[in-house]
Amino acid sequence: PVLDGGGRGDVVRITAEGVTLRGFVIQGSARDVADEPAGIRLIANRATIEDNQIRDVLYGISLIDSSGHQIRRNTISSVAEFNSERRGHAVYLWNSDDNLVEDNRIDEVKDGIFVGYAHHNEIRGNSVTRSRYGIHYMSSEDNRFIGNTFVDNVTGGAIMFSKRITLEDNRFSGNRSAASGFGLLLK
């Protein structure tokens, strides 16, 4: 089944705890960057989002001020005609703790996985290609990145202002741009 937002706001907004969303094509969010419209916006705790195809949305899955989610086996892409700076993040964790982000396939977004003020998350087995940053990570503690692949992005990963991070068995390759690309930045 297809859930199409018709170019207005978020396509799906989850406001109840413990919801599972599985097996949908989710498309057609609004495109106004200032509102950060998403294919799926999670604002309640403990959702399971798995086996969905999320496409033609500005942001893919936004986990905002909520925790305990499982985000698994989704394919996510942004608005094809926008350049990477204009697109949104595929998986966007903001003030969101204790999540599992696993086995997602992400292509042509702004940042594949953006983690800000989000702690105790496990991010494993994901693939991010042809995006601005594979991982964009700021001011977050005690997170684990295991077995992810970041290939052909401008930047493989930027890990900034954080402590107690585990990076294990990740692949960073072909991440470059004409001006300044790099595999992994630790700041």
Side-chain angles (χ1 to χ4, degrees):
V2 176
L3 302 176
D4 192 313
R8 293 179 306 225
D10 299 322
V11 180
V12 175
R13 183 176 284 223
I14 296 178
T15 61
E17 293 193 2
V19 169
T20 296
L21 182 66
R22 179 185 303 121
F24 288 89
V25 173
I26 297 163
Q27 63 187 28
S29 74
R31 300 193 188 307
D32 183 6
V33 174
D35 294 334
E36 296 182 347
I40 303 168
R41 181 177 302 275
L42 305 174
I43 53 178
N45 297 325
R46 296 185 321 278
T48 298
I49 308 299
E50 62 187 11
D51 301 316
N52 299 290
Q53 182 179 357
I54 303 161
R55 63 185 186 204
D56 194 35
V57 294
L58 197 60
Y59 284 73
I61 303 170
S62 293
L63 293 69
I64 308 296
D65 297 322
S66 61
S67 297
H69 304 295
Q70 295 187 31
I71 310 299
R72 294 190 298 243
R73 298 182 308 274
N74 301 286
T75 60
I76 306 168
S77 60
S78 188
V79 181
E81 63 265 20
F82 290 170
N83 66 33
S84 65
E85 294 296 323
R86 174 81 168 78
R87 297 176 183 144
H89 312 312
V91 180
Y92 182 21
L93 287 79
W94 184 261
N95 193 32
S96 183
D97 303 334
D98 302 308
N99 302 294
L100 172 64
V101 179
E102 177 179 46
D103 295 330
N104 298 285
R105 299 296 164 252
I106 298 167
D107 186 53
E108 294 188 332
V109 296
K110 184 174 190 173
D111 297 345
I113 301 165
F114 183 97
V115 181
Y117 303 98
H119 315 293
H120 305 285
N121 296 290
E122 180 137 344
I123 298 169
R124 66 179 182 218
N126 301 285
S127 171
V128 180
T129 56
R130 300 185 302 169
S131 300
R132 185 182 74 158
Y133 288 6
I135 304 168
H136 193 171
Y137 184 94
M138 300 178 66
S139 304
S140 299
E141 315 294 342
D142 301 298
N143 290 288
R144 296 168 43 90
F145 295 87
I146 300 171
N148 300 286
T149 302
F150 306 100
V151 176
D152 296 332
N153 303 294
V154 172
T155 296
I159 310 293
M160 300 182 283
F161 311 115
S162 302
K163 298 175 186 170
R164 297 176 306 276
I165 302 162
T166 300
L167 291 165
E168 183 177 305
D169 295 326
N170 297 287
R171 176 179 170 213
F172 297 88
S173 67
N175 300 293
R176 64 179 60 92
S177 74
S180 66
F182 43 88
L184 181 62
L185 167 71
L186 302 173
K187 184 174 183 180

